[in-house]
Amino acid sequence: HLLKGKSTSTSFGVFFLQMGWGDLGAFGEPSKETPNLDQMASEGMLFLDFYTANPLCSPSRAALLTGRLPIRNGFYTTNAHARNAYTPQNIVGGIPDSELLLPELLKKAGYTNKIIGKWHLGHRPQFHPLKHGFDEWFGSPNCHFGPYDNKAVPNIPVYRDWEMVGRYYEDFNIDLKTGEANLTQIYLQEALDFISRQQASQQPFFLYWAIDATHAPVYASKHFLGTSQRGLYGDAVREIDDSIGKILKHLQKLGISENTFVFFTSDNGAALISAPKQGGSNGRFLCGKQTTFEGGMREPAIAWWPGHIPAGKVSHQLGNVMDLFTTSLSLAGLQPPSDRQIDGIDLLPAILQGQLIDRPIFYYRGNEMMAVRVGLYKAHYWTWSNSWEEYNKGIDFCPGQNVSGVTTHTKEEHTTLPLLFHLGRDPGEKYPLSFASAEYQGVMERISNIVQKHQVTMVPGEPQLNVCDKAVMNWSPPGCEKLGKCLKPPESEPKKCIWPH
Amino acid sequence: HLLKGKSTSTSFGVFFLQMGWGDLGAFGEPSKETPNLDQMASEGMLFLDFYTANPLCSPSRAALLTGRLPIRNGFYTTNAHARNAYTPQNIVGGIPDSELLLPELLKKAGYTNKIIGKWHLGHRPQFHPLKHGFDEWFGSPNCHFGPYDNKAVPNIPVYRDWEMVGRYYEDFNIDLKTGEANLTQIYLQEALDFISRQQASQQPFFLYWAIDATHAPVYASKHFLGTSQRGLYGDAVREIDDSIGKILKHLQKLGISENTFVFFTSDNGAALISAPKQGGSNGRFLCGKQTTFEGGMREPAIAWWPGHIPAGKVSHQLGNVMDLFTTSLSLAGLQPPSDRQIDGIDLLPAILQGQLIDRPIFYYRGNEMMAVRVGLYKAHYWTWSNSWEEYNKGIDFCPGQNVSGVTTHTKEEHTTLPLLFHLGRDPGEKYPLSFASAEYQGVMERISNIVQKHQVTMVPGEPQLNVCDKAVMNWSPPGCEKLGKCLKPPESEPKKCIWPH
């Protein structure tokens, strides 16, 4: 280790945004428009078998920061079986105080923690990121949907630390016609400034860069609009790629790159429902966001740490965003909490010694374990894309793809005879193994044991995504008075949230 | 240019085999098992928008060697509309004497030319590769199908130069149960020996390495069996990758790499009907071999020429296998024939100066121009995957893929209103542009002009793939007497060949 100045601890940067496995040149995107991410990969380690913890944003983000499956940390719903849920403006729940977040733990080791971008773990006061270990925040609690009328629905606030500094479409514009917005540039500047300040103070830091330009409504700043072969989505990707390149170069220029462990990955697969104009690519994988097929949860992932990770390495370690929790603690010399089940593993042996750690990947949708991957095999215990009712309205999570008996529009139970795929021979999940084959029998025996153990010992957390209430929307966030942007909330009327898929 | 010894001419190596766009790590294959091809790309130029001239083997090979579309050089059928055809054992036709092949032309400039592997341009005496400019041959005239009984159908011969040296499944075994065959090792050794001899004699050479391990029945040698995550197909890919690495290293070791222009590409998209056990990957592109969707004709392509092509370059030049004809002539200082239409262009400005040459790509199936690409747009004038009759028998060129109105099982004519796709925003050909859009109108005006000019000036060659006759099978190839392997041909009974798709 090369350690600079007083700082003996490794800093962390996590780039966490919505991008599909197939969106990067390094992962085979045919336009090959991500030179900086491709270079990051060629200087670091490319993970080819890396997963998110959930096919939707909020639960994945909760999992990243807690190292725990959403079913444990409460980021799921029991309003219906196997339904995706997240934190829209009217959600009552959020990250429970009982959960220990990565920044809370790092803080004890002297880290300064900043989140830039989308928090998405609840927007009521008790869920504020600065109450959960972050020291600084620039960004919004929810997705950048809108514009709203501030009567039925308020516009989403943008916070600096404890207080809002404006609202989307009012003070932070997104032109929905042209797709122009300069938000990524603002988020980039925030990152560069934070890193400079930390370097100056010689403090180790954790920077969580959770930006959202590739999430619908997709946007890019003027300089990048129209520069991609891929249209607006590609423009946004190019701007993010450019920004990440600038952040990495900044670390190098400040001489702290060898002291900063940086990881790039995604919270869910590309949203194919937004294609072709606003949707990305999951490469050759099946379906996308919202599903537990590979396209919904297999993510691009790159680890970068010059001087530690040899350049140009590739890993087939089965990884998960929850591993960043455990890996970061390990790098900081901290132990993960021992009073609870942590699902993330320490990836350092895989990253630094090229080891392959045998561990399963669980694919959850809401309260249901839909599938599990063990080695190169994936067993589906439930299959569902979305309902016929939704599909007939044009909501399609698997456009142009239809694998009979697999991409089902009715929720199909396979718990007694799971559908088994070999992801090496069949990454696209098109050819289930014959139930009668010796291969099926042998593999399923092993997988069944793992699943049984997982399910028997599972203690679900209290579900946070069951109750919705218009009164909890971002009517009067802290700081609204100074800006004259306080809105009057309606009467409280708590209801079960409706999660259609 | 660094020129060694007396030789002042550039030699050529062309690796031409069946592999899909998505089969290489450099193109996003999730197992990333092609380190040598990936390195070839990182040392050379990766073409992302490179095409074959036909979605089937024989016509593509004829196009590569003549620089002309199969519709011109005769490698098509008029037995039915828009049908794929090739050169099985009973084909009567083959490469016409009137066609000028690349090796014929290079020979005049002092080149020694060798084909290793599958010829596929006809197996009757007049079509022998040594009658069309090659000086040496080791390989077979047809695909390595079999084993046959030598009564109804003879086993395919393997030739050394003018004479057969044995037959598949007799003298050159392929174990169809295990997939074991050492043919790639034999073809590798042939290549290394030829290169050594040429280097020793200081002669410029053209080596056409047309091996077939990834074509069903897929095979690999013992050392590679079971080494891939992808199963037998991956084993074959790994052996080919390893062999190509050895050939490139051999050129470097002999000090002639800077004097040898090497190109890797494929004759058609991966055969998805052979998946998952024997089929490759076309990445995120639609359908596969036999179709004029991107999966059928977009190919992996790499140009390698150390000291001339800067390392790690990527090109979006629309390229075609026919361009290798014109490019090779250009490098050899020769003019392409002026008495006929040549479809291939000289890629040197794209390769050496990074220019982008505006040119269309035509997608033919048999006698019909099915589609055309101009810039990032692709217009389908006809769509067809295969017939319902075939599809219902389980023959599926687009497994798991179904784009309504696009992957049609009836032959659909769109000549008055072509289906238009933007391949940058929509590489998977899932979202036809609205006929009413200004974009459609503007683009189609341009494309219509190009197509009209192409069709009005088209002079089709005499179709070679219409007549089949059991009597022309490989019963008694030259050299059979010495081996005691002559078989008695049946009575001649010429018929129209039946081409089902």
Side-chain angles (χ1 to χ4, degrees):
Chain A
H1 290 216
L2 288 171
L3 303 171
K4 310 269 169 179
K6 279 194 305 186
S7 171
T8 53
S9 304
T10 307
S11 295
F12 311 112
V14 174
F15 302 123
F16 200 53
L17 42 124
Q18 177 176 303
M19 230 183 251
W21 198 92
D23 274 330
L24 276 61
F27 288 85
E29 203 290 312
S31 306
K32 221 171 167 52
E33 293 179 332
T34 54
N36 294 287
L37 284 163
D38 295 357
Q39 193 179 335
M40 182 182 175
S42 74
E43 293 171 4
M45 178 174 270
L46 195 68
F47 283 87
L48 295 165
D49 299 79
F50 202 89
Y51 290 87
T52 187
N54 198 269
L56 207 63
C57 42
S58 296
S60 290
R61 286 157 198 267
L64 170 80
L65 292 175
T66 61
R68 286 151 57 80
L69 283 166
I71 189 82
R72 298 194 212 273
N73 65 35
F75 267 68
Y76 70 103
T77 184
T78 54
N79 287 2
H81 174 239
R83 293 289 168 107
N84 294 313
Y86 71 109
T87 54
Q89 278 204 77
N90 60 349
I91 198 81
V92 171
I95 190 75
D97 278 339
S98 56
E99 290 298 317
L100 285 171
L101 271 61
L102 177 61
E104 281 178 83
L105 297 166
L106 290 175
K107 209 166 180 171
K108 294 179 189 155
Y111 279 72
T112 307
N113 308 304
K114 176 158 193 162
I115 165 171
I116 297 172
K118 186 165 69 169
W119 166 240
H120 234 203
L121 302 193
H123 53 276
R124 294 174 65 213
Q126 65 267 41
F127 306 127
H128 193 287
L130 273 59
K131 287 201 175 136
H132 291 269
F134 281 104
D135 299 290
E136 301 183 15
W137 180 23
F138 184 84
S140 62
N142 315 85
C143 282
H144 55 290
F145 299 140
Y148 299 111
D149 61 0
N150 282 342
K151 284 169 190 153
V153 179
N155 277 319
I156 308 286
V158 175
Y159 281 72
R160 173 171 299 286
D161 303 331
W162 288 106
E163 298 189 343
M164 74 179 274
V165 289
R167 291 187 192 266
Y168 279 131
Y169 302 95
E170 297 173 18
D171 313 284
F172 298 91
N173 198 33
I174 300 168
D175 187 326
L176 294 183
K177 270 196 186 152
T178 62
E180 184 179 342
N182 66 347
L183 291 161
T184 301
Q185 292 304 312
I186 296 174
Y187 295 143
L188 167 61
Q189 205 51 53
E190 284 288 321
L192 299 176
D193 290 349
F194 175 72
I195 292 166
S196 296
R197 281 189 281 118
Q198 296 318 302
Q199 191 267 346
S201 69
Q202 312 236 329
Q203 291 298 310
F205 63 83
F206 167 44
L207 171 62
Y208 176 45
W209 203 61
I211 65 159
D212 54 9
T214 44
H215 188 293
V218 169
Y219 61 79
S221 63
K222 196 165 186 178
H223 179 64
F224 289 91
L225 280 181
T227 62
S228 167
Q229 284 193 5
R230 303 179 68 195
L232 179 57
Y233 184 89
D235 297 340
V237 170
R238 286 187 72 136
E239 184 166 15
I240 291 169
D241 176 75
D242 182 78
S243 300
I244 288 175
K246 286 187 169 129
I247 293 170
L248 299 184
K249 278 185 196 78
H250 193 61
L251 291 170
Q252 287 172 317
K253 208 185 85 193
L254 296 177
I256 54 173
S257 63
E258 297 194 338
N259 222 9
T260 310
F261 177 90
V262 184
F263 207 91
F264 168 89
T265 190
S266 172
D267 64 346
N268 46 241
L272 301 184
I273 41 164
S274 306
K277 287 200 176 158
Q278 309 222 337
S281 161
N282 299 314
R284 63 173 300 192
F285 295 122
L286 189 61
C287 304
K289 180 173 175 175
Q290 307 272 10
T291 77
T292 48
F293 302 110
E294 290 298 284
M297 292 183 62
R298 188 128 154 200
E299 307 301 338
I302 305 168
W304 184 88
W305 193 17
H308 302 270
I309 304 173
K313 290 279 174 188
V314 165
S315 177
H316 283 292
Q317 172 65 46
L318 300 200
N320 195 294
V321 297
M322 301 180 291
D323 301 343
L324 299 179
F325 176 90
T326 311
T327 305
S328 298
L329 292 179
S330 170
L331 277 165
L334 298 170
Q335 291 297 319
S338 57
D339 63 342
R340 63 196 68 202
Q341 181 68 43
I342 300 292
D343 297 290
I345 64 168
D346 181 359
L347 288 178
L348 288 185
I351 294 174
L352 299 180
Q353 287 117 44
Q355 288 181 24
L356 278 181
I357 305 152
D358 189 24
R359 67 90 71 92
I361 297 291
F362 296 104
Y363 304 66
Y364 271 84
R365 183 161 174 168
N367 60 349
E368 187 58 79
M369 192 210 76
M370 306 285 285
V372 59
R373 176 172 174 182
V374 174
L376 282 167
Y377 292 94
K378 178 175 177 182
H380 286 271
Y381 284 69
W382 289 86
T383 53
W384 195 35
S385 54
N386 62 348
S387 67
W388 281 116
E389 196 191 341
E390 281 212 300
Y391 180 71
N392 290 336
K393 281 188 218 156
I395 299 170
D396 190 352
F397 296 146
C398 317
Q401 298 179 316
N402 176 31
V403 183
S404 178
V406 179
T407 55
T408 56
H409 289 289
T410 46
K411 221 181 286 163
E412 294 292 333
E413 183 168 3
H414 310 276
T415 52
T416 51
L417 269 183
L419 293 184
L420 187 64
F421 295 90
H422 185 284
L423 294 179
R425 300 193 297 262
D426 176 25
E429 295 168 283
K430 288 178 183 160
Y431 307 97
L433 269 70
S434 159
F435 297 138
S437 65
E439 187 180 7
Y440 183 92
Q441 304 288 338
V443 171
M444 277 315 303
E445 195 178 314
R446 188 168 162 233
I447 292 182
S448 298
N449 285 334
I450 290 167
V451 168
Q452 211 199 345
K453 194 178 151 201
H454 175 74
Q455 291 181 327
V456 163
T457 59
M458 171 58 68
V459 182
E462 194 180 330
Q464 295 294 316
L465 308 179
N466 279 353
V467 185
C468 286
D469 187 346
K470 283 191 74 169
V472 305
M473 287 181 166
N474 296 289
W475 302 104
S476 296
C480 69
E481 303 84 356
K482 289 182 207 164
L483 300 170
K485 282 185 177 281
C486 300
L487 301 166
K488 194 172 171 292
E491 291 274 299
S492 174
E493 208 183 330
K495 289 181 190 167
K496 269 193 173 184
C497 308
I498 296 163
W499 302 114
H501 34 253
Chain B
H1 290 211
L2 288 171
L3 302 173
K4 310 267 171 184
K6 279 193 301 184
S7 171
T8 53
S9 303
T10 306
S11 295
F12 311 111
V14 173
F15 301 124
F16 200 54
L17 43 124
Q18 177 176 301
M19 231 185 250
W21 198 93
D23 274 330
L24 277 61
F27 287 85
E29 202 290 313
S31 307
K32 222 172 165 51
E33 293 180 332
T34 53
N36 293 289
L37 285 162
D38 296 357
Q39 192 179 334
M40 180 182 176
S42 74
E43 293 172 4
M45 178 173 270
L46 195 68
F47 283 85
L48 296 164
D49 300 80
F50 202 88
Y51 291 86
T52 186
N54 196 270
L56 207 62
C57 40
S58 296
S60 289
R61 287 158 197 266
L64 170 81
L65 292 175
T66 61
R68 286 150 58 81
L69 283 167
I71 188 82
R72 298 194 212 275
N73 64 35
F75 267 68
Y76 70 102
T77 182
T78 53
N79 288 1
H81 175 237
R83 293 288 168 108
N84 295 313
Y86 71 110
T87 54
Q89 277 203 80
N90 59 349
I91 198 81
V92 170
I95 190 74
D97 277 338
S98 56
E99 290 298 316
L100 284 170
L101 270 62
L102 178 60
E104 283 179 81
L105 298 166
L106 290 175
K107 210 166 179 170
K108 293 179 190 156
Y111 280 71
T112 307
N113 309 303
K114 175 158 192 161
I115 165 171
I116 297 172
K118 185 166 68 169
W119 166 241
H120 233 205
L121 300 194
H123 53 276
R124 295 173 64 210
Q126 65 267 42
F127 306 128
H128 193 287
L130 273 58
K131 286 202 176 138
H132 291 269
F134 282 104
D135 299 290
E136 300 184 17
W137 180 24
F138 185 84
S140 62
N142 314 85
C143 283
H144 55 290
F145 299 141
Y148 298 111
D149 62 0
N150 281 342
K151 284 171 191 152
V153 179
N155 278 318
I156 308 285
V158 175
Y159 280 74
R160 173 170 299 287
D161 303 332
W162 289 106
E163 298 189 344
M164 74 179 275
V165 288
R167 291 188 192 264
Y168 280 131
Y169 303 95
E170 297 172 19
D171 313 284
F172 299 90
N173 198 32
I174 301 169
D175 185 326
L176 294 183
K177 270 196 186 155
T178 63
E180 184 178 341
N182 65 347
L183 291 162
T184 301
Q185 291 305 312
I186 297 174
Y187 295 143
L188 166 62
Q189 204 51 52
E190 285 289 321
L192 299 177
D193 290 349
F194 175 71
I195 291 167
S196 296
R197 280 189 281 119
Q198 296 319 302
Q199 191 265 347
S201 70
Q202 311 237 333
Q203 290 299 307
F205 64 84
F206 167 44
L207 171 61
Y208 177 44
W209 203 62
I211 65 160
D212 53 9
T214 45
H215 188 295
V218 169
Y219 61 78
S221 63
K222 195 165 188 180
H223 179 64
F224 288 90
L225 280 181
T227 62
S228 167
Q229 284 192 6
R230 305 179 68 194
L232 179 58
Y233 183 88
D235 297 340
V237 170
R238 286 187 72 138
E239 184 166 15
I240 291 169
D241 175 75
D242 181 78
S243 300
I244 289 176
K246 285 186 171 130
I247 293 171
L248 298 184
K249 277 185 197 77
H250 192 61
L251 291 170
Q252 287 171 317
K253 208 186 86 193
L254 296 177
I256 55 173
S257 62
E258 297 193 340
N259 221 10
T260 310
F261 177 90
V262 185
F263 207 91
F264 168 89
T265 191
S266 173
D267 64 347
N268 46 240
L272 301 184
I273 41 163
S274 307
K277 288 203 175 153
Q278 308 223 339
S281 162
N282 300 313
R284 63 174 301 194
F285 295 121
L286 190 61
C287 304
K289 179 173 175 175
Q290 307 271 11
T291 78
T292 48
F293 302 109
E294 290 297 284
M297 292 182 63
R298 187 129 154 200
E299 306 303 338
I302 305 169
W304 185 87
W305 192 18
H308 303 269
I309 304 173
K313 289 280 174 189
V314 166
S315 177
H316 284 291
Q317 172 64 47
L318 300 199
N320 196 294
V321 297
M322 300 179 292
D323 301 343
L324 298 178
F325 175 90
T326 311
T327 304
S328 298
L329 291 180
S330 171
L331 276 165
L334 298 170
Q335 292 295 320
S338 57
D339 62 343
R340 62 196 71 201
Q341 180 69 44
I342 301 291
D343 297 290
I345 64 169
D346 181 0
L347 288 177
L348 289 185
I351 293 173
L352 299 179
Q353 287 117 44
Q355 288 181 25
L356 278 181
I357 304 151
D358 190 23
R359 67 89 72 89
I361 298 290
F362 296 103
Y363 304 67
Y364 271 84
R365 184 162 174 168
N367 60 349
E368 186 58 78
M369 193 210 78
M370 305 286 285
V372 59
R373 176 172 174 181
V374 174
L376 283 167
Y377 292 93
K378 178 174 177 181
H380 287 271
Y381 284 68
W382 289 86
T383 53
W384 196 35
S385 53
N386 62 349
S387 67
W388 281 116
E389 195 190 340
E390 281 212 300
Y391 180 72
N392 290 335
K393 280 187 218 157
I395 299 169
D396 189 353
F397 297 145
C398 316
Q401 297 180 316
N402 177 29
V403 182
S404 179
V406 180
T407 54
T408 56
H409 289 289
T410 46
K411 222 181 285 165
E412 294 292 332
E413 183 168 5
H414 310 277
T415 51
T416 51
L417 268 183
L419 293 184
L420 187 64
F421 295 90
H422 186 284
L423 294 180
R425 302 193 297 263
D426 176 24
E429 295 168 282
K430 288 178 183 160
Y431 307 97
L433 269 69
S434 159
F435 297 137
S437 66
E439 188 180 6
Y440 182 92
Q441 303 289 337
V443 171
M444 277 315 304
E445 196 178 315
R446 186 163 166 238
I447 292 182
S448 298
N449 285 335
I450 291 168
V451 168
Q452 211 200 342
K453 195 177 150 201
H454 175 73
Q455 291 180 327
V456 163
T457 59
M458 172 57 67
V459 182
E462 193 179 332
Q464 295 295 316
L465 308 179
N466 280 353
V467 184
C468 287
D469 186 347
K470 284 192 73 170
V472 305
M473 287 182 167
N474 296 288
W475 301 104
S476 296
C480 70
E481 302 84 356
K482 289 182 208 165
L483 301 170
K485 283 186 177 281
C486 300
L487 301 166
K488 192 172 172 291
E491 291 276 299
S492 175
E493 207 183 330
K495 288 181 192 171
K496 270 194 174 185
C497 308
I498 296 163
W499 303 114
H501 32 253

